[in-house]
Amino acid sequence: MSTTFQLDTATSRANPTPAPMKRLTVPAIRRRKQDGVTTEPIVALTAYTARQAQLLDEHCDLLLVGDSLGQVIYGLPSSVPVTLDMMAAHGAAVVRGSYHAVVFVDLPFGTYEASPEQAFASAARLLKDTGCAGVKLEGGAVMAETVAFLAQRGIPVIGHVGLTPQAVNQLGGYGVRGRSDAEAAKIVSDAEALADAGAFAIVIEGVVEPIAIAVTKAVACPVIGIGGSAQCDGQILVTEDMLGMFERVPRFVKRYEEIAGVISGAAGRYAAEVRSRAFPGNEQTYQPK
Ligand code: KIV
């Protein structure tokens, strides 16, 4: 895959020089799982900004504009206060910043649960305003009718079961799900209901591994794990978590960088140079001709 980005800084740092490449499609990703077997696991990460999308795009099959942006970008206590306006703005930025990965945008809490019609109106707005390929929503069997309603009207839907962060007030926290037999069985039947309703894929979050494996085996559509199992059909992480932006992350996060220290270190050196008047130097200063 040739995906070299050439940034034309003379025009705008946000616009990479066009590098034509056919964007992945929902059916192409769906076809990765055939008769229960996925030979090429789906690589997914969250993205919230255009520049982040530019950097992640070539490595990912799917970019998710997750409502985790509430905490990660806006410093909110949970994803509950996230609005459709926020998702639309960040979704559009991520679509502008990518040309290879398929982009999905989360339906935020309160914009889809009341009825299939409410979900369709919210999802249609996200597709129109952002150019994303589809939406993700949380909830199991109770959302099956809505998933079918959207899928039958041309909107690909990713379901989300197990730990569903929008339900934090009901769950009482972000602990691992499925430790009891009853809860495990419910998560599997929730995933089956979503798949039967026409979900394109299912995210399974924060469950004990046997449940993630059982769900992956039980449904025909791809299952994307986050705190699930390496045996899922794909994996997703919150990008800032895997980059090491935050001190506190769930156990299922692997840090591939320690970016918080890099940023803080750079800011510290900048601050020292401003205070000592070492910055700006000659190289950063315009002189008369
Ligand atoms: O909001 C989000 O980022 C998500 C992923 C963690 C799956 O739902």
Side-chain angles (χ1 to χ4, degrees), residues 102-179:
V102 73
V103 178
F104 272 69
V105 179
D106 266 350
L107 284 171
F109 178 72
T111 68
Y112 65 94
E113 302 90 332
S115 66
E117 288 78 7
Q118 184 203 27
F120 183 83
S122 300
R125 175 174 169 209
L126 289 179
L127 263 67
K128 285 170 185 282
D129 284 7
T130 72
C132 70
V135 296
K136 179 167 80 59
L137 53 76
E138 294 184 10
V142 70
M143 295 314 302
E145 187 190 351
T146 294
V147 170
F149 193 87
L150 299 187
Q152 287 160 13
R153 287 159 180 77
I155 301 183
V157 183
I158 299 179
H160 186 152
V161 298
L163 171 58
T164 47
Q166 291 177 9
V168 62
N169 290 307
Q170 196 169 44
L171 299 175
Y174 297 102
V176 66
R177 311 305 303 171
R179 288 216 184 272

Side-chain angles (χ1 to χ4, degrees), residues 31 43 51 67 93 137 168 213 261:
R31 280 196 297 271
V43 179
R51 183 60 181 144
D67 61 355
L137 53 76
V168 62
I213 295 172

Side-chain angles (χ1 to χ4, degrees), residues 46 48 64 66-68 106 136 138 160 203 205 226 236 238:
T46 60
Y48 314 120
L64 173 70
D67 61 355
S68 51
D106 266 350
K136 179 167 80 59
E138 294 184 10
H160 186 152
V203 165
E205 176 168 358
I226 171 165
I236 186 164
V238 170

Side-chain angles (χ1 to χ4, degrees), residues 121-260:
S122 300
R125 175 174 169 209
L126 289 179
L127 263 67
K128 285 170 185 282
D129 284 7
T130 72
C132 70
V135 296
K136 179 167 80 59
L137 53 76
E138 294 184 10
V142 70
M143 295 314 302
E145 187 190 351
T146 294
V147 170
F149 193 87
L150 299 187
Q152 287 160 13
R153 287 159 180 77
I155 301 183
V157 183
I158 299 179
H160 186 152
V161 298
L163 171 58
T164 47
Q166 291 177 9
V168 62
N169 290 307
Q170 196 169 44
L171 299 175
Y174 297 102
V176 66
R177 311 305 303 171
R179 288 216 184 272
S180 74
D181 288 350
E183 198 175 73
K186 174 82 170 76
I187 292 169
V188 176
S189 64
D190 276 343
E192 287 172 332
L194 294 172
D196 291 348
F200 146 65
I202 295 171
V203 165
I204 186 159
E205 176 168 358
V207 295
V208 291
E209 185 176 30
I211 299 178
I213 295 172
V215 166
T216 304
K217 287 187 177 152
V219 301
C221 68
V223 174
I224 301 175
I226 171 165
S229 168
Q231 291 188 46
C232 291
D233 304 301
Q235 303 295 327
I236 186 164
L237 283 176
V238 170
T239 297
E240 282 76 357
D241 285 348
M242 72 95 177
L243 288 178
M245 268 299 259
F246 298 107
E247 282 75 29
R248 286 194 64 228
V249 286
R251 174 194 166 143
F252 58 71
V253 172
K254 179 173 177 182
R255 291 170 190 260
Y256 289 83
E257 237 340 313
E258 295 296 340
I259 207 75

